[in-house]
Amino acid sequence: MTGGSRGIGAATATTLAGLGADVVLTYRSSLDEAKAVAAACEEKGVKATVLRADLDAADGAEELVTAVRERVDHLDVVVSNACASYPRVPLAGMDPTALGDKVRNDVVLLHRLTTAFVPAMRERGYGRLVVISSGSSWGPTAPGLAAHGVTKAALEGYVRYAADEFGAGGVTVNGLALGFVLTDASSVVPQPARDALANATPAGRLGTPQDIADAVSLLARPESEWINGATLPVTGGLNYPLNLSRVRGH
């Protein structure tokens, strides 16, 4: 579980632990929070391992894969949740190198996770790779989030190709395109805009980390074998693209 110290990652780690899975979770700077999540997992009777990973660094993905291999015999489920930080600037003002770095870092991380662990999953006859994406991959959601949307679109393209190449013999590769979820990252959105989004969502509310964790656990189960190469919308019914610049209060 990359990015497992809080929010979606923390909820997913504890949910999978509740299903009986030993958990390896990563963090970048929140060691105390990561330890708390690991403790919550172990309370469910499983083993939890905490690893630091700086995935913004050029060699961060490679170091993470090496660290996991040193500590774990094999992985049945890999959840790619962590991502690089995205500059919130308009495309016209975005440094081309910075944009390329963000896309490359996230895609390289996913590629390293895939090539490191999915072939071994195929040999064992079971594996689940779940990639956390966003509805912003389908079109504009808010001003200045082009780097985020472009990167998520690239990840979803990778999911389709990885499923085609690796998705056989009990292995699946899927993504989740998230709607607006209440996390630390989304706390910068003004309350009036949140209210407008909740009203526009057929479910009548915004998402929670547990909503996403439940969707991940669905794809992680043996019964999900026929779901492969898909990016499932987990939005409460909210349709994308949705440009928040047109939502009053944003």
Side-chain angles (χ1 to χ4, degrees):
M1 179 78 231
T2 65
S5 65
R6 54 188 171 180
I8 292 169
T12 300
T14 54
T15 297
L16 295 179
L19 297 175
D22 292 336
V23 177
V24 178
L25 59 94
T26 75
Y27 74 97
R28 180 170 60 179
S29 58
S30 306
L31 175 58
D32 290 341
E33 293 179 345
K35 287 182 175 179
V37 175
C41 291
E42 291 182 338
E43 288 177 358
K44 300 179 183 296
V46 303
K47 179 182 177 181
T49 303
V50 174
L51 295 175
R52 184 181 183 278
D54 183 2
L55 301 177
D56 273 333
D59 55 356
E62 183 175 0
E63 290 180 353
L64 172 59
V65 166
T66 299
V68 172
R69 281 176 159 165
E70 290 174 348
R71 292 165 175 80
V72 180
D73 291 335
H74 71 274
L75 296 179
D76 296 312
V77 180
V78 175
V79 183
S80 182
N81 173 59
C83 60
S85 56
Y86 301 103
R88 185 161 180 162
V89 296
L91 272 176
M94 189 178 300
D95 179 88
T97 301
L99 174 60
D101 287 345
K102 298 309 178 187
V103 176
R104 181 173 60 253
N105 281 3
D106 278 11
V107 174
V108 165
L109 168 62
L110 178 56
H111 182 60
R112 288 199 180 278
L113 291 173
T114 302
T115 56
F117 301 118
V118 171
M121 292 176 176
R122 293 184 73 186
E123 292 180 4
R124 294 192 308 275
Y126 184 85
R128 300 288 184 264
L129 174 59
V130 183
V131 181
I132 303 301
S133 183
S134 166
S136 63
S137 66
W138 302 336
T141 54
L145 291 184
H148 182 260
V150 168
T151 299
K152 296 305 184 184
L155 293 179
E156 291 174 19
Y158 188 96
V159 162
R160 292 189 289 274
Y161 279 93
D164 180 69
E165 184 169 338
F166 295 109
V171 177
T172 65
V173 183
N174 292 293
L176 296 177
L178 309 188
F180 192 93
V181 181
L182 293 168
T183 64
D184 291 345
S186 65
S187 63
V188 299
V189 177
Q191 190 60 50
R194 293 193 205 183
D195 293 341
L197 280 168
N199 290 334
T201 301
R205 62 175 177 84
L206 301 179
T208 68
Q210 189 60 51
D211 290 322
I212 311 310
D214 291 338
V216 172
S217 69
L218 169 68
L219 294 177
R221 296 172 183 270
E223 296 83 359
S224 69
E225 184 176 2
W226 197 238
I227 306 173
N228 197 15
T231 297
L232 305 180
V234 187
T235 67
L238 187 65
N239 291 318
Y240 282 79
L242 174 70
N243 194 329
L244 292 185
S245 65
R246 291 168 170 74
V247 175
R248 182 183 177 92
H250 186 75

